[in-house]
Amino acid sequence: MRRTRRIRAIVAVSATMVLAAGMAVAISTSANAATTLGAAAAQSGRYFGAATNSFMLNRQPHATVLNREFNSIVAENEMKWYHTEPNQNQFNFTAGDQLIAHARARGMTVRGHTLVWHAQQPAWAENMSGTALRNAMINHINRVAGHWRGQIHSWDVVNEAFADGGSGARRDSNLQRTGNDWIEVAFRTARAADPGAKLCYNDYNTDGINAKSTAIYNMVRDFKARGVPIDCVGLQSHLGTTLDPTYQQNIQRFADLGVDVQITELDIQQGANQANMYGQVTRACLAVARCTGITVWGVLDPDSWRTGANPLLFDGNGNKKPAYDAVLNALNAGGNNPPPPTTAPPPVTTPPPSGGGCSASVSLNSWNGGFVATVRVTAGSSAINGWRVRLTVPSGATVTGSWNANRSGNTGAVDWTNVDYNGRVAAGQSTEFGFQATGNGSIPTPSCTAS
Ligand code: XIL
């Protein structure tokens, strides 16, 4: 009896304390409002980023503003194909490494932009076609995403692959002419090369419900239905002087497909409506739980690629513009929290063996003259510490590159063994490796031996 009363008394006291604490929080919200874009976005679990270049990292006032305001960066140009692979199979990661080091030292995340795009290709790739180009693309993704494996928050795997206007068609390009499946091959390759990065499709003129955004929506829906790995859609949002009234609705419909949405290259024409539009875009993102971050395409107006448009949040002296206040206030007003990050297990195509050991299954992405194989290794009822998969490459086919495994040869019966980071597989769990090959044909179910 005495005990019960005491508990009741404690409950009453704590309830009063909670109420008091709640009031204190409510009253001091504006006093405690975050004073930078990154911190304000982080209150709802989002990031706020900016595009920059390695040669600007020590340039003032760019550097001070970048480091103070943003908690994410993206390379404006230095991770593009022409920059990272200027000659075929000769890679240049210096600038990207510098950007990543800068970000990591400051707790910023990094968006990767972009693995494959019809524009800003190196001349050698522009001049390629067919299987040679397809293989070069796969190699590029493997090497670039592999180099920065584990360090990229989200990759724009494919950029701007759809045509403008009402057709809803793919844009014609050398990449598109390698076969309509080039986008899904790029995504599967990127997943294997950096399983920790979110994989995005990124495009412009998609800032509302229109024929182009609907074509992308249909592609994403199809990818989700067929298990093509896609995690996010980037809306570039290079905007003029009015905002499409369906801007938020469009974000929401992508989110409803089960992908994140990111505003990836935001800049808005200077004018009477600039601050208001910046506020609207920010609020639209905050209203959709799966809209997880915003990136502006530059820091200071004179940095912008849109010369004369002054479309950014800071003037050339690093002063905050009214558009800045509109964004900060919108972020501080809060929004729906994004769902906690989940890494959805990939669909299992073959049941794990009932005993110990392991099994392997293979899926192919083929085009005329070549293919990419993804091989899944699944542990049985006990954990394994290593594996060897024997797989027969179709006759006439030759393996030209592989990832996440060592291999004994490139034709006929090939043994693939784990590398140091993927040998240990928990009971019933899977890991993947992959390879690309010239030639065609089918592959019988490989055998797997655990070690
Ligand atoms: C732009 C850069 O800002 C410029 O410096 C460069 O000269 C051309 O590319 N869509 C994209 C970005 O995905 O990569 C583009 O960036 C802008 C349009």
Side-chain angles (χ1 to χ4, degrees):
M1 199 50 188
R2 282 190 70 177
R3 216 178 127 79
T4 317
R5 232 179 285 134
R6 227 176 90 201
I7 291 170
R8 272 202 205 116
I10 291 168
V11 169
V13 169
S14 4
T16 319
M17 281 164 60
V18 167
L19 267 177
M23 278 162 67
V25 167
I27 289 163
S28 60
T29 300
S30 58
N32 287 343
T35 55
T36 67
L37 302 171
Q43 296 172 125
S44 68
R46 292 177 171 82
Y47 66 83
F48 204 98
T52 186
N53 296 274
S54 65
F55 54 83
M56 291 178 164
L57 292 175
N58 296 313
R59 183 191 282 182
Q60 293 299 0
H62 176 97
T64 301
V65 178
L66 179 76
N67 297 341
R68 185 188 67 217
E69 294 290 339
F70 299 95
N71 60 0
S72 164
I73 59 171
V74 62
E76 184 178 9
N77 287 301
E78 292 167 335
M79 291 190 184
K80 291 173 181 173
W81 197 349
Y82 80 97
H83 204 285
T84 49
E85 196 180 359
N87 300 299
Q88 189 168 17
N89 251 321
Q90 261 176 31
F91 291 87
N92 176 9
F93 297 124
T94 313
D97 285 346
Q98 278 171 18
L99 288 169
I100 289 180
H102 187 91
R104 286 172 77 99
R106 290 164 180 77
M108 301 166 162
T109 55
V110 181
R111 294 196 82 259
H113 176 79
T114 173
L115 290 170
V116 213
W117 185 23
H118 70 275
Q120 295 188 283
Q121 294 181 15
W124 63 265
E126 264 168 12
N127 292 329
M128 271 187 168
S129 61
T131 303
L133 175 62
R134 179 65 71 93
N135 285 333
M137 173 191 92
I138 292 166
N139 186 53
H140 180 74
I141 297 171
N142 278 323
R143 295 291 301 273
V144 175
H147 177 78
W148 287 311
R149 181 187 173 100
Q151 302 184 71
I152 301 292
H153 175 283
S154 302
W155 262 116
D156 291 332
V157 177
V158 171
N159 197 32
E160 302 183 354
F162 279 81
D164 288 314
S167 71
R170 295 280 185 86
R171 173 195 297 278
D172 178 52
S173 71
N174 58 345
L175 291 158
Q176 181 61 33
R177 289 190 292 270
T178 67
N180 208 48
D181 63 346
W182 71 280
I183 299 183
E184 60 195 79
V185 169
F187 275 85
R188 290 190 200 278
T189 308
R191 175 68 96 226
D194 186 357
K198 286 190 181 281
L199 305 183
C200 304
Y201 175 82
N202 192 49
D203 215 325
Y204 68 96
N205 281 352
T206 50
D207 313 301
I209 294 181
N210 58 40
K212 187 173 177 182
S213 63
T214 298
I216 295 164
Y217 175 87
N218 289 335
M219 177 187 76
V220 173
R221 191 174 52 186
D222 170 56
F223 280 12
K224 295 296 278 185
R226 291 190 295 114
V228 177
I230 184 165
D231 307 306
C232 36
V233 169
L235 307 178
Q236 292 186 10
S237 301
H238 296 293
L239 301 175
T241 53
T242 52
L243 189 66
D244 189 312
T246 59
Y247 190 81
Q248 182 180 322
Q249 205 187 327
N250 187 47
I251 297 176
Q252 185 69 59
R253 70 170 174 162
F254 280 105
D256 291 344
L257 287 177
V259 289
D260 290 347
V261 177
Q262 303 175 3
I263 312 299
T264 51
E265 304 183 14
L266 181 62
D267 52 16
I268 304 176
Q269 171 73 44
Q270 174 110 302
N273 206 16
Q274 187 184 47
N276 179 39
M277 278 175 68
Y278 262 109
Q280 285 178 289
V281 168
T282 308
R283 284 189 294 276
C285 178
L286 290 170
V288 179
R290 288 199 82 140
C291 182
T292 58
I294 300 176
T295 299
V296 283
W297 204 242
V299 178
L300 313 179
D301 276 338
D303 298 340
S304 171
W305 72 305
R306 292 170 67 180
T307 311
N310 294 322
L312 298 173
L313 299 174
F314 298 87
D315 71 17
N317 296 318
N319 297 312
K320 299 168 180 173
K321 294 165 55 180
Y324 173 93
D325 296 323
V327 172
L328 187 68
N329 291 340
L331 292 172
N332 274 323
N336 291 334
N337 287 324
T342 49
T343 29
V348 176
T349 45
T350 44
S354 52
C358 56
S359 63
S361 62
V362 59
S363 62
L364 295 185
N365 256 295
S366 306
W367 58 93
N368 189 16
F371 63 90
V372 169
T374 303
V375 185
R376 163 153 319 150
V377 178
T378 304
S381 53
S382 325
I384 58 175
N385 291 316
W387 43 263
R388 189 181 77 235
V389 169
R390 172 157 293 187
L391 174 150
T392 304
V393 176
S395 81
T398 306
V399 178
T400 53
S402 54
W403 49 93
N404 297 346
N406 301 307
R407 74 187 141 95
S408 62
N410 57 5
T411 54
V414 179
D415 282 335
W416 311 76
T417 50
N418 63 274
V419 285
D420 54 1
Y421 56 80
N422 65 6
R424 205 180 146 67
V425 184
Q429 299 299 299
S430 301
T431 188
E432 284 184 349
F433 70 90
F435 64 91
Q436 64 193 77
T438 56
N440 284 116
S442 59
I443 297 182
T445 302
S447 63
C448 187
T449 313
S451 52

